[in-house]
Amino acid sequence: MNGICKQWSTRIAAVGLALVMAGCSSNSYPPLESSIAKQPLTTDPDHYDYRVGPGDSLNIFVWRNPEVSQSVTVRPDGKITTPLVEDVPVSGLTSTEIARKIEEQLSVYIKEPIVTVLVSGFIGPYSEQVRIIGEASEPQALPYREDMTLLDVMIAVGGLTEFADGNGASVVRIVDGEQKQYGIRIKDLIQGGDISANVNLLPGDVVIIPESWF
């Protein structure tokens, strides 16, 4: 009987130690530099140009060369492949910059190629997207649009949930390479109609909406 008790005591101790070790290992977190703290490509919203990202569709037109004109989708690695041109990095570039890059590579095969790139889909790089997390009705990442405001974003995500602390929300933004956090008043804006609570958003902003304690 004592032997059985000793065996169970040993097993319980082993399980307890495993749980403690698991709890200790779970306290190690990855650095923020690879996610929220990434510097947006657009630093001046007054001179905003849409930049292509994975998932965007590109219609590449090569003047007088229909055989190398094609519609392609930007791959998850940020590259595209077209006839005569393979693995071209395009993520983070404007459509004009992509056209010039393709012209440069096609010039090996075609004399003075003229390329036009049309973009559709409009997903953009992750660093340019505006993310809304927490107690929004539909948390999501949105492609930044010129002159985007907090009100525009809240319309897109369907407003707040019934559990949201709208006036306890904040915006995380990269300023001069440093991550900063600013308070915003979403409840006053969309439930109280206080338009003074509306603020401009910038590429790469993260809107965090916490849960209310009451």
Side-chain angles (χ1 to χ4, degrees), residues 17-204:
L17 179 61
L19 291 174
V20 169
M21 294 298 294
C24 292
S25 63
S26 66
N27 289 332
S28 178
Y29 303 105
L32 290 177
E33 286 77 10
S34 62
S35 54
I36 293 179
K38 186 172 183 179
Q39 178 70 50
L41 297 171
T42 300
T43 56
D44 184 359
D46 291 333
H47 298 87
Y48 171 68
D49 291 313
Y50 181 79
R51 296 180 180 274
V52 166
D56 282 346
S57 297
L58 307 181
N59 187 7
I60 301 170
F61 173 74
V62 185
W63 189 52
R64 290 184 176 177
N65 290 273
E67 65 279 3
V68 293
S69 299
Q70 191 174 13
S71 294
V72 298
T73 300
V74 182
R75 303 196 311 245
D77 61 0
K79 299 177 182 179
I80 60 171
T81 295
T82 67
L84 302 180
V85 178
E86 296 182 343
D87 296 337
V88 183
V90 299
S91 183
L93 302 180
T94 66
S95 59
T96 300
E97 290 170 342
I98 296 171
R100 299 295 83 79
K101 178 173 282 194
I102 294 176
E103 285 176 351
E104 180 181 355
Q105 298 202 26
L106 283 178
S107 64
V108 177
Y109 312 99
I110 300 172
K111 183 178 180 180
E112 297 181 352
I114 300 176
V115 177
T116 301
V117 176
L118 304 177
V119 184
S120 60
F122 302 110
I123 298 174
Y126 284 120
S127 63
E128 301 292 282
Q129 295 176 7
V130 176
R131 299 178 179 88
I132 305 89
I133 61 175
E135 295 300 318
S137 294
E138 299 177 12
Q140 59 184 292
L142 300 170
Y144 178 80
R145 292 177 172 82
E146 187 178 21
D147 298 326
M148 178 179 274
T149 68
L150 179 61
L151 181 59
D152 300 321
V153 164
M154 294 314 299
I155 291 173
V157 301
L160 301 171
T161 69
E162 60 180 312
F163 306 108
D165 180 9
N167 285 350
S170 59
V171 171
V172 176
R173 176 176 297 169
I174 306 300
V175 180
D176 296 328
E178 295 184 5
Q179 180 176 285
K180 297 187 177 182
Q181 195 160 357
Y182 305 93
I184 50 177
R185 298 181 292 119
I186 301 178
K187 181 178 179 180
D188 287 349
L189 174 63
I190 63 176
Q191 296 181 6
D194 184 358
I195 201 63
S196 68
N198 195 23
V199 296
N200 290 321
L201 294 180
L202 302 180

